[in-house]
């Protein structure tokens, strides 16, 4: 009886994992095709699309700053270099209870550029969403732009976002972010692979007109829409995903710009990485549980939103499935159908490795030995991710205290 139950559970898990993997593969290859066939937005264009009156729309650039003294100057300098009329933008630095010299650095820039830079100071941090909401009271823009403090923003970032937001049916734009320090160590390389694949999947979602989530930085939203849906949720650990779901429920469209809008730092230590991902995955799992009612609408965009939010759980299920399947087969508790499932799974994994190596060699242009080692380590990386997801899931189930963790910058 126990063996029969185990077989049934493995078959159910296989169907779920295979369907989820196939679905994401289709979205990935759609994104890959679109990535290399879609024309780029011309970076030299001066065609500002009007959103209000006969001038370029006024943009409020909002940056939450906490313990960012090492990276704050390069962010502000990149914002000052933006190819956008300075009389049609403002930079709001929300200094959120830093323990370093961030506040003084903010004041220095505000003193030097009084007509462009505003500084808001909070003695006590209540998390990034609360800091962003506090800035809205002081923002004057028709468009709200959000960047993390470790960003180095591309000169044409605002211009491209304004161009996309000129479409009346577009409420928000998520631009691609890329790792600044991807070559620093093996962890940052593995993060870079995951990041690149995620960017391609986002492009696939955009091309297929599926659910495009906001990802926390390099985001642009029309102010009227933002106010209509009620701003950032201070209860969510992944305020970007939660906001994306509310935009979807409200019938608003988010589009993805595959061109890099900003470069950011990836965590370089395992401690920082684990804490960051525990917040991410717990936030996504909680948002998934709170947003299951979107499935009542059987449109493909709503179903895709649920699939996106369930991604951490599916990663955990897939890694658990592979371990369980291997153990069952090696211990001899198998059957013809389990043998078939094992063979299909093995072939799928080999195809994944081959595809990953081809992708890294052709597009990332790493050397062969680097590609082979990194591709093999990707399996270890995803088991590591699954372990972090498991801890995050347990925290959700046990109702442990939520904690907003700010990833150290400039390590």
């Amino acid at each position: 009886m126990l063996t029969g139950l185990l077989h049934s559970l493995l078959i159910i898990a296989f169907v779920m994992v295979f369907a989820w993997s196939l679905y994401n593969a289709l979205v990935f290859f759609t994104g890959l095709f679109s990535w290399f066939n879609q024309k780029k937005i011309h970076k030299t264009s001066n065609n500002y699309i009007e959103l209000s009156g006969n001038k370029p729309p006024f943009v409020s650039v909002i940056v939450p700053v906490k313990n960012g003294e090492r990276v704050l100057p390069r962010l502000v300098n990149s914002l000052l270099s933006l190819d956008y009329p300075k009389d049609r933008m403002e930079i709001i630095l929300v200094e959120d209870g830093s323990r370093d010299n961030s506040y003084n650095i903010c004041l220095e820039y505000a003193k030097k550029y009084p007509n462009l830079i505003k500084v808001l100071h909070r003695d006590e941090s209540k998390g990034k969403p609360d800091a962003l909401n506090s800035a809205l009271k002081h923002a004057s823009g028709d468009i709200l732009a959000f960047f993390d403090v470790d960003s180095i923003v591309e000169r044409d970032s605002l211009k491209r976002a304004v161009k996309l937001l000129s479409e009346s049916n577009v409420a928000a734009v998520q631009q691609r972010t890329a790792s600044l320090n991807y070559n620093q160590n093996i962890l940052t390389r593995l993060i870079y692979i995951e990041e690149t694949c995620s960017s391609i999947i986002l492009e696939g979602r955009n091309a297929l007109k599926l659910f495009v989530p906001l990802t926390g930085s390099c985001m642009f939203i029309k102010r009227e829409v933002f106010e209509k849906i009620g701003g950032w949720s201070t209860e969510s650990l992944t305020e970007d995903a939660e906001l994306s779901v509310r935009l979807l429920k409200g019938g608003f469209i988010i589009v993805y710009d595959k061109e890099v809008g900003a470069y950011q730092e990836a965590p370089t230590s395992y401690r920082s990485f684990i804490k960051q991902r525990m917040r991410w995955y717990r936030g996504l799992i909680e948002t998934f549980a709170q947003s299951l009612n979107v499935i009542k609408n059987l449109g493909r965009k709503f179903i895709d939103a649920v699939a996106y939010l369930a991604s951490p759980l599916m990663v955990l299920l897939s890694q658990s499935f592979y371990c369980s399947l291997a153990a069952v087969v090696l211990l001899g508790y198998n059957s013809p159908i389990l043998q078939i499932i094992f063979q299909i799974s093995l072939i799928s994994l080999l195809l994944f490795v081959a595809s990953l190596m081809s992708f890294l060699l052709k597009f990332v242009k790493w050397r062969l030995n680097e590609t082979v080692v990194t591709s093999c380590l990707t399996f270890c990386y995803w088991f590591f991710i699954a372990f972090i997801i498991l801890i995050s899931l347990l925290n959700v189930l046990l109702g442990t205290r939520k904690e907003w963790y700010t990833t150290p910058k400039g390590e």
Side-chain angles (χ1 to χ4, degrees):
M1 180 178 175
L2 183 60
T3 303
L5 178 61
L6 183 59
H7 283 195
S8 298
L9 290 175
L10 282 173
I11 292 170
I12 293 171
F14 169 74
V15 172
M16 294 177 65
V17 170
F18 187 78
W20 180 74
S21 300
L22 181 62
Y23 177 77
N24 279 284
L26 292 173
V27 176
F28 177 85
F29 284 110
T30 300
L32 196 63
F33 178 81
S34 176
W35 193 289
F36 294 104
N37 284 277
Q38 188 178 7
K39 291 182 179 179
K40 295 182 178 180
I41 298 175
H42 296 298
K43 294 190 175 185
T44 57
S45 171
N46 286 314
N47 182 24
Y48 294 107
I49 306 298
E50 301 170 9
L51 289 184
S52 59
N54 55 4
K55 295 180 180 179
F58 196 88
V59 180
S60 294
V61 180
I62 302 173
V63 182
V65 179
K66 184 176 181 180
N67 301 327
E69 64 177 0
R70 296 182 181 179
V71 295
L72 180 58
R74 74 183 186 195
L75 162 72
V76 177
N77 290 335
S78 71
L79 292 175
L80 292 172
S81 300
L82 284 170
D83 183 14
Y84 201 80
K86 296 301 182 288
D87 63 337
R88 301 302 299 163
M89 63 177 284
E90 64 180 357
I91 301 170
I92 303 176
L93 304 176
V94 188
E95 197 288 303
D96 194 31
S98 298
R99 297 186 301 274
D100 61 10
N101 198 41
S102 294
Y103 183 40
N104 290 329
I105 296 174
C106 290
L107 291 177
E108 288 175 9
Y109 276 104
K111 183 177 180 180
K112 190 173 182 180
Y113 302 94
N115 297 322
L116 182 60
I117 298 178
K118 299 178 183 178
V119 177
L120 306 179
H121 175 64
R122 289 152 53 97
D123 292 325
E124 181 183 356
S125 174
K126 297 179 181 178
K128 178 181 174 182
D130 193 68
L132 295 176
N133 280 336
S134 69
L136 294 177
K137 304 170 187 176
H138 304 271
S140 307
D142 305 306
I143 294 174
L144 305 173
F146 301 94
F147 293 96
D148 284 344
V149 70
D150 61 323
S151 303
I152 298 179
V153 185
E154 288 283 85
R155 290 190 73 248
D156 64 338
S157 177
L158 280 192
K159 185 185 293 185
R160 282 166 25 215
V162 168
K163 199 176 185 71
L164 290 169
L165 287 167
S166 67
E167 299 293 332
S168 60
N169 64 332
V170 176
V173 173
Q174 175 61 61
Q175 288 183 350
R176 178 186 166 205
T177 57
S179 289
L180 180 67
N181 58 333
Y182 72 91
N183 217 22
Q184 187 166 341
N185 57 39
I186 190 63
L187 177 61
T188 58
R189 287 190 172 217
L190 291 168
I191 293 172
Y192 178 72
I193 293 174
E194 179 191 8
E195 177 186 80
T196 304
C197 291
S198 296
S199 296
I200 294 173
I201 288 176
L202 280 174
E203 175 61 21
R205 283 195 159 94
N206 191 61
L208 293 170
K209 300 187 184 304
L210 298 175
F211 173 67
V212 176
L214 299 171
T215 61
S217 182
C218 211
M219 308 175 294
F220 307 82
I221 308 174
K222 290 178 179 176
R223 186 193 185 107
E224 59 178 338
V225 172
F226 193 73
E227 291 178 341
K228 185 174 182 180
I229 62 173
W232 300 103
S233 169
T234 57
E235 300 299 318
S236 177
L237 290 174
T238 46
E239 76 292 338
D240 44 7
E242 192 277 337
L243 180 69
S244 303
V245 172
R246 278 190 284 134
L247 285 168
L248 175 63
K249 289 179 179 179
F252 299 108
I253 294 175
I254 306 170
V255 298
Y256 182 66
D257 179 2
K258 65 184 177 63
E259 300 300 320
V260 174
Y263 292 90
Q264 294 181 293
E265 291 186 3
T268 56
S269 71
Y270 288 96
R271 181 177 180 275
S272 296
F273 177 75
I274 291 171
K275 286 195 171 185
Q276 179 197 64
R277 292 306 177 97
M278 285 181 67
R279 177 178 66 81
W280 285 8
Y281 298 139
R282 177 170 182 170
L284 283 174
I285 292 169
E286 290 177 339
T287 304
F288 168 70
Q290 295 162 4
S291 305
L292 282 175
N293 61 331
V294 302
I295 200 67
K296 293 177 181 177
N297 186 323
L298 294 179
R300 59 180 182 174
K301 186 174 288 190
F302 288 87
I303 295 174
D304 184 60
V306 174
Y308 168 79
L309 294 171
S311 293
L313 297 176
M314 290 305 301
V315 169
L316 177 59
L317 176 63
S318 64
Q319 302 308 310
S320 302
F321 163 73
Y322 289 127
C323 289
S324 301
L325 180 62
V328 166
V329 172
L330 290 174
L331 291 172
Y333 297 105
N334 54 29
S335 65
I337 190 167
L338 284 184
Q339 288 289 348
I340 293 172
I341 290 176
F342 181 78
Q343 292 169 13
I344 293 174
S345 301
L346 184 60
I347 291 171
S348 299
L349 290 174
L350 292 174
L351 286 174
F352 169 77
V353 173
S355 300
L356 180 60
M357 289 180 62
S358 300
F359 175 79
L360 294 176
L361 287 169
K362 182 171 179 61
F363 300 113
V364 183
K365 301 187 185 304
W366 285 348
R367 294 191 298 271
L368 180 60
N369 61 330
E370 294 175 316
T371 299
V372 172
V373 171
T374 306
S375 298
C376 293
L377 285 175
T378 299
F379 285 102
C380 300
Y381 177 77
W382 281 109
F383 279 109
F384 182 40
I385 290 290
F387 175 75
I388 299 174
I389 294 172
L390 176 60
I391 301 300
S392 303
L393 177 60
L394 290 175
N395 284 332
V396 172
L397 296 175
L398 295 174
T400 59
R401 180 176 173 270
K402 292 184 183 181
E403 182 180 359
W404 182 273
Y405 176 74
T406 302
T407 307
K409 308 299 183 183
E411 291 182 320

PDB file of all heavy atoms in Angstrom, residues 216-237:
ATOM      1  N   GLY A 216      11.022  45.304  -8.602  1.00  0.00           N
ATOM      2  CA  GLY A 216      11.616  45.975  -7.450  1.00  0.00           C
ATOM      3  C   GLY A 216      12.449  47.195  -7.723  1.00  0.00           C
ATOM      4  O   GLY A 216      12.630  48.047  -6.850  1.00  0.00           O
ATOM      5  N   SER A 217      13.000  47.312  -8.918  1.00  0.00           N
ATOM      6  CA  SER A 217      13.818  48.471  -9.271  1.00  0.00           C
ATOM      7  C   SER A 217      13.715  48.696 -10.775  1.00  0.00           C
ATOM      8  O   SER A 217      13.321  47.793 -11.519  1.00  0.00           O
ATOM      9  CB  SER A 217      15.274  48.243  -8.870  1.00  0.00           C
ATOM     10  OG  SER A 217      16.076  49.383  -9.165  1.00  0.00           O
ATOM     11  N   CYS A 218      14.044  49.911 -11.195  1.00  0.00           N
ATOM     12  CA  CYS A 218      13.961  50.273 -12.618  1.00  0.00           C
ATOM     13  C   CYS A 218      12.516  50.129 -13.112  1.00  0.00           C
ATOM     14  O   CYS A 218      12.255  49.598 -14.174  1.00  0.00           O
ATOM     15  CB  CYS A 218      14.915  49.397 -13.430  1.00  0.00           C
ATOM     16  SG  CYS A 218      15.594  50.190 -14.887  1.00  0.00           S
ATOM     17  N   MET A 219      11.596  50.638 -12.274  1.00  0.00           N
ATOM     18  CA  MET A 219      10.162  50.556 -12.560  1.00  0.00           C
ATOM     19  C   MET A 219       9.611  51.959 -12.790  1.00  0.00           C
ATOM     20  O   MET A 219      10.036  52.919 -12.137  1.00  0.00           O
ATOM     21  CB  MET A 219       9.414  49.916 -11.385  1.00  0.00           C
ATOM     22  CG  MET A 219       9.958  48.596 -10.907  1.00  0.00           C
ATOM     23  SD  MET A 219       9.095  47.995  -9.415  1.00  0.00           S
ATOM     24  CE  MET A 219       9.588  49.233  -8.197  1.00  0.00           C
ATOM     25  N   PHE A 220       8.633  52.052 -13.686  1.00  0.00           N
ATOM     26  CA  PHE A 220       8.026  53.338 -14.024  1.00  0.00           C
ATOM     27  C   PHE A 220       6.510  53.158 -14.052  1.00  0.00           C
ATOM     28  O   PHE A 220       6.008  52.260 -14.725  1.00  0.00           O
ATOM     29  CB  PHE A 220       8.526  53.827 -15.383  1.00  0.00           C
ATOM     30  CG  PHE A 220      10.028  53.853 -15.502  1.00  0.00           C
ATOM     31  CD1 PHE A 220      10.730  52.693 -15.812  1.00  0.00           C
ATOM     32  CD2 PHE A 220      10.739  55.022 -15.297  1.00  0.00           C
ATOM     33  CE1 PHE A 220      12.122  52.695 -15.920  1.00  0.00           C
ATOM     34  CE2 PHE A 220      12.120  55.040 -15.390  1.00  0.00           C
ATOM     35  CZ  PHE A 220      12.815  53.873 -15.701  1.00  0.00           C
ATOM     36  N   ILE A 221       5.794  54.029 -13.333  1.00  0.00           N
ATOM     37  CA  ILE A 221       4.341  53.893 -13.224  1.00  0.00           C
ATOM     38  C   ILE A 221       3.689  55.260 -13.390  1.00  0.00           C
ATOM     39  O   ILE A 221       4.172  56.267 -12.850  1.00  0.00           O
ATOM     40  CB  ILE A 221       3.947  53.303 -11.850  1.00  0.00           C
ATOM     41  CG1 ILE A 221       4.721  52.020 -11.569  1.00  0.00           C
ATOM     42  CG2 ILE A 221       2.449  53.033 -11.783  1.00  0.00           C
ATOM     43  CD1 ILE A 221       4.502  51.465 -10.176  1.00  0.00           C
ATOM     44  N   LYS A 222       2.593  55.295 -14.119  1.00  0.00           N
ATOM     45  CA  LYS A 222       1.823  56.529 -14.226  1.00  0.00           C
ATOM     46  C   LYS A 222       1.238  56.862 -12.853  1.00  0.00           C
ATOM     47  O   LYS A 222       0.637  56.013 -12.200  1.00  0.00           O
ATOM     48  CB  LYS A 222       0.706  56.374 -15.252  1.00  0.00           C
ATOM     49  CG  LYS A 222       1.194  56.292 -16.688  1.00  0.00           C
ATOM     50  CD  LYS A 222       0.041  56.090 -17.658  1.00  0.00           C
ATOM     51  CE  LYS A 222       0.542  56.023 -19.094  1.00  0.00           C
ATOM     52  NZ  LYS A 222      -0.553  55.726 -20.057  1.00  0.00           N
ATOM     53  N   ARG A 223       1.398  58.096 -12.445  1.00  0.00           N
ATOM     54  CA  ARG A 223       0.986  58.479 -11.096  1.00  0.00           C
ATOM     55  C   ARG A 223      -0.505  58.267 -10.860  1.00  0.00           C
ATOM     56  O   ARG A 223      -0.916  57.786  -9.799  1.00  0.00           O
ATOM     57  CB  ARG A 223       1.355  59.945 -10.851  1.00  0.00           C
ATOM     58  CG  ARG A 223       1.085  60.376  -9.417  1.00  0.00           C
ATOM     59  CD  ARG A 223       1.152  61.880  -9.220  1.00  0.00           C
ATOM     60  NE  ARG A 223       0.994  62.196  -7.809  1.00  0.00           N
ATOM     61  CZ  ARG A 223       1.961  62.610  -7.014  1.00  0.00           C
ATOM     62  NH1 ARG A 223       3.179  62.780  -7.496  1.00  0.00           N
ATOM     63  NH2 ARG A 223       1.734  62.871  -5.746  1.00  0.00           N
ATOM     64  N   GLU A 224      -1.322  58.634 -11.841  1.00  0.00           N
ATOM     65  CA  GLU A 224      -2.764  58.517 -11.658  1.00  0.00           C
ATOM     66  C   GLU A 224      -3.180  57.067 -11.418  1.00  0.00           C
ATOM     67  O   GLU A 224      -4.076  56.791 -10.621  1.00  0.00           O
ATOM     68  CB  GLU A 224      -3.501  59.092 -12.865  1.00  0.00           C
ATOM     69  CG  GLU A 224      -3.174  58.420 -14.195  1.00  0.00           C
ATOM     70  CD  GLU A 224      -3.980  59.013 -15.335  1.00  0.00           C
ATOM     71  OE1 GLU A 224      -5.035  59.614 -15.062  1.00  0.00           O
ATOM     72  OE2 GLU A 224      -3.542  58.868 -16.494  1.00  0.00           O
ATOM     73  N   VAL A 225      -2.500  56.140 -12.079  1.00  0.00           N
ATOM     74  CA  VAL A 225      -2.778  54.719 -11.885  1.00  0.00           C
ATOM     75  C   VAL A 225      -2.305  54.287 -10.501  1.00  0.00           C
ATOM     76  O   VAL A 225      -3.008  53.564  -9.787  1.00  0.00           O
ATOM     77  CB  VAL A 225      -2.092  53.875 -12.981  1.00  0.00           C
ATOM     78  CG1 VAL A 225      -2.223  52.387 -12.679  1.00  0.00           C
ATOM     79  CG2 VAL A 225      -2.681  54.192 -14.348  1.00  0.00           C
ATOM     80  N   PHE A 226      -1.120  54.732 -10.142  1.00  0.00           N
ATOM     81  CA  PHE A 226      -0.542  54.350  -8.861  1.00  0.00           C
ATOM     82  C   PHE A 226      -1.430  54.790  -7.704  1.00  0.00           C
ATOM     83  O   PHE A 226      -1.646  54.048  -6.738  1.00  0.00           O
ATOM     84  CB  PHE A 226       0.849  54.966  -8.740  1.00  0.00           C
ATOM     85  CG  PHE A 226       1.669  54.407  -7.612  1.00  0.00           C
ATOM     86  CD1 PHE A 226       2.220  53.136  -7.687  1.00  0.00           C
ATOM     87  CD2 PHE A 226       1.893  55.153  -6.470  1.00  0.00           C
ATOM     88  CE1 PHE A 226       2.975  52.620  -6.652  1.00  0.00           C
ATOM     89  CE2 PHE A 226       2.648  54.645  -5.431  1.00  0.00           C
ATOM     90  CZ  PHE A 226       3.186  53.373  -5.524  1.00  0.00           C
ATOM     91  N   GLU A 227      -1.937  56.000  -7.785  1.00  0.00           N
ATOM     92  CA  GLU A 227      -2.809  56.509  -6.729  1.00  0.00           C
ATOM     93  C   GLU A 227      -4.150  55.781  -6.722  1.00  0.00           C
ATOM     94  O   GLU A 227      -4.739  55.551  -5.661  1.00  0.00           O
ATOM     95  CB  GLU A 227      -3.010  58.014  -6.906  1.00  0.00           C
ATOM     96  CG  GLU A 227      -1.740  58.817  -6.631  1.00  0.00           C
ATOM     97  CD  GLU A 227      -1.936  60.308  -6.860  1.00  0.00           C
ATOM     98  OE1 GLU A 227      -2.912  60.674  -7.565  1.00  0.00           O
ATOM     99  OE2 GLU A 227      -1.120  61.105  -6.359  1.00  0.00           O
ATOM    100  N   LYS A 228      -4.612  55.397  -7.899  1.00  0.00           N
ATOM    101  CA  LYS A 228      -5.906  54.724  -8.005  1.00  0.00           C
ATOM    102  C   LYS A 228      -5.890  53.366  -7.311  1.00  0.00           C
ATOM    103  O   LYS A 228      -6.889  52.963  -6.696  1.00  0.00           O
ATOM    104  CB  LYS A 228      -6.291  54.564  -9.476  1.00  0.00           C
ATOM    105  CG  LYS A 228      -7.684  53.986  -9.695  1.00  0.00           C
ATOM    106  CD  LYS A 228      -8.052  53.993 -11.160  1.00  0.00           C
ATOM    107  CE  LYS A 228      -9.463  53.459 -11.360  1.00  0.00           C
ATOM    108  NZ  LYS A 228      -9.859  53.462 -12.802  1.00  0.00           N
ATOM    109  N   ILE A 229      -4.755  52.662  -7.382  1.00  0.00           N
ATOM    110  CA  ILE A 229      -4.705  51.319  -6.779  1.00  0.00           C
ATOM    111  C   ILE A 229      -4.191  51.348  -5.340  1.00  0.00           C
ATOM    112  O   ILE A 229      -4.097  50.315  -4.691  1.00  0.00           O
ATOM    113  CB  ILE A 229      -3.841  50.352  -7.618  1.00  0.00           C
ATOM    114  CG1 ILE A 229      -2.390  50.836  -7.677  1.00  0.00           C
ATOM    115  CG2 ILE A 229      -4.418  50.171  -9.006  1.00  0.00           C
ATOM    116  CD1 ILE A 229      -1.470  49.848  -8.340  1.00  0.00           C
ATOM    117  N   GLY A 230      -3.848  52.536  -4.835  1.00  0.00           N
ATOM    118  CA  GLY A 230      -3.558  52.663  -3.408  1.00  0.00           C
ATOM    119  C   GLY A 230      -2.107  52.606  -2.986  1.00  0.00           C
ATOM    120  O   GLY A 230      -1.823  52.440  -1.793  1.00  0.00           O
ATOM    121  N   GLY A 231      -1.164  52.749  -3.912  1.00  0.00           N
ATOM    122  CA  GLY A 231       0.249  52.794  -3.534  1.00  0.00           C
ATOM    123  C   GLY A 231       0.809  51.449  -3.113  1.00  0.00           C
ATOM    124  O   GLY A 231       0.237  50.386  -3.379  1.00  0.00           O
ATOM    125  N   TRP A 232       1.963  51.499  -2.420  1.00  0.00           N
ATOM    126  CA  TRP A 232       2.661  50.279  -2.015  1.00  0.00           C
ATOM    127  C   TRP A 232       2.018  49.666  -0.768  1.00  0.00           C
ATOM    128  O   TRP A 232       1.598  50.383   0.129  1.00  0.00           O
ATOM    129  CB  TRP A 232       4.133  50.584  -1.709  1.00  0.00           C
ATOM    130  CG  TRP A 232       4.895  51.141  -2.854  1.00  0.00           C
ATOM    131  CD1 TRP A 232       5.249  52.447  -3.048  1.00  0.00           C
ATOM    132  CD2 TRP A 232       5.396  50.422  -3.983  1.00  0.00           C
ATOM    133  NE1 TRP A 232       5.938  52.587  -4.220  1.00  0.00           N
ATOM    134  CE2 TRP A 232       6.040  51.357  -4.820  1.00  0.00           C
ATOM    135  CE3 TRP A 232       5.360  49.083  -4.375  1.00  0.00           C
ATOM    136  CZ2 TRP A 232       6.650  51.002  -6.014  1.00  0.00           C
ATOM    137  CZ3 TRP A 232       5.960  48.727  -5.557  1.00  0.00           C
ATOM    138  CH2 TRP A 232       6.598  49.673  -6.370  1.00  0.00           C
ATOM    139  N   SER A 233       1.993  48.377  -0.710  1.00  0.00           N
ATOM    140  CA  SER A 233       1.531  47.669   0.480  1.00  0.00           C
ATOM    141  C   SER A 233       2.686  47.556   1.472  1.00  0.00           C
ATOM    142  O   SER A 233       3.734  46.991   1.154  1.00  0.00           O
ATOM    143  CB  SER A 233       1.022  46.274   0.122  1.00  0.00           C
ATOM    144  OG  SER A 233       0.810  45.498   1.289  1.00  0.00           O
ATOM    145  N   THR A 234       2.493  48.056   2.671  1.00  0.00           N
ATOM    146  CA  THR A 234       3.545  47.999   3.691  1.00  0.00           C
ATOM    147  C   THR A 234       3.564  46.658   4.410  1.00  0.00           C
ATOM    148  O   THR A 234       4.450  46.400   5.232  1.00  0.00           O
ATOM    149  CB  THR A 234       3.350  49.123   4.730  1.00  0.00           C
ATOM    150  OG1 THR A 234       2.045  49.010   5.305  1.00  0.00           O
ATOM    151  CG2 THR A 234       3.483  50.493   4.060  1.00  0.00           C
ATOM    152  N   GLU A 235       2.605  45.785   4.106  1.00  0.00           N
ATOM    153  CA  GLU A 235       2.531  44.474   4.753  1.00  0.00           C
ATOM    154  C   GLU A 235       3.256  43.390   3.960  1.00  0.00           C
ATOM    155  O   GLU A 235       3.461  42.292   4.470  1.00  0.00           O
ATOM    156  CB  GLU A 235       1.067  44.065   4.951  1.00  0.00           C
ATOM    157  CG  GLU A 235       0.255  45.012   5.817  1.00  0.00           C
ATOM    158  CD  GLU A 235       0.816  45.118   7.217  1.00  0.00           C
ATOM    159  OE1 GLU A 235       1.207  44.071   7.782  1.00  0.00           O
ATOM    160  OE2 GLU A 235       0.875  46.242   7.753  1.00  0.00           O
ATOM    161  N   SER A 236       3.624  43.680   2.727  1.00  0.00           N
ATOM    162  CA  SER A 236       4.208  42.663   1.855  1.00  0.00           C
ATOM    163  C   SER A 236       5.736  42.742   1.857  1.00  0.00           C
ATOM    164  O   SER A 236       6.315  43.830   1.841  1.00  0.00           O
ATOM    165  CB  SER A 236       3.691  42.837   0.420  1.00  0.00           C
ATOM    166  OG  SER A 236       4.299  41.907  -0.451  1.00  0.00           O
ATOM    167  N   LEU A 237       6.378  41.576   1.873  1.00  0.00           N
ATOM    168  CA  LEU A 237       7.839  41.505   1.756  1.00  0.00           C
ATOM    169  C   LEU A 237       8.289  41.615   0.307  1.00  0.00           C
ATOM    170  O   LEU A 237       9.460  41.864   0.034  1.00  0.00           O
ATOM    171  CB  LEU A 237       8.344  40.197   2.364  1.00  0.00           C
ATOM    172  CG  LEU A 237       8.236  40.082   3.889  1.00  0.00           C
ATOM    173  CD1 LEU A 237       8.630  38.686   4.341  1.00  0.00           C
ATOM    174  CD2 LEU A 237       9.112  41.125   4.577  1.00  0.00           C
TER     175      LEU A 237
END
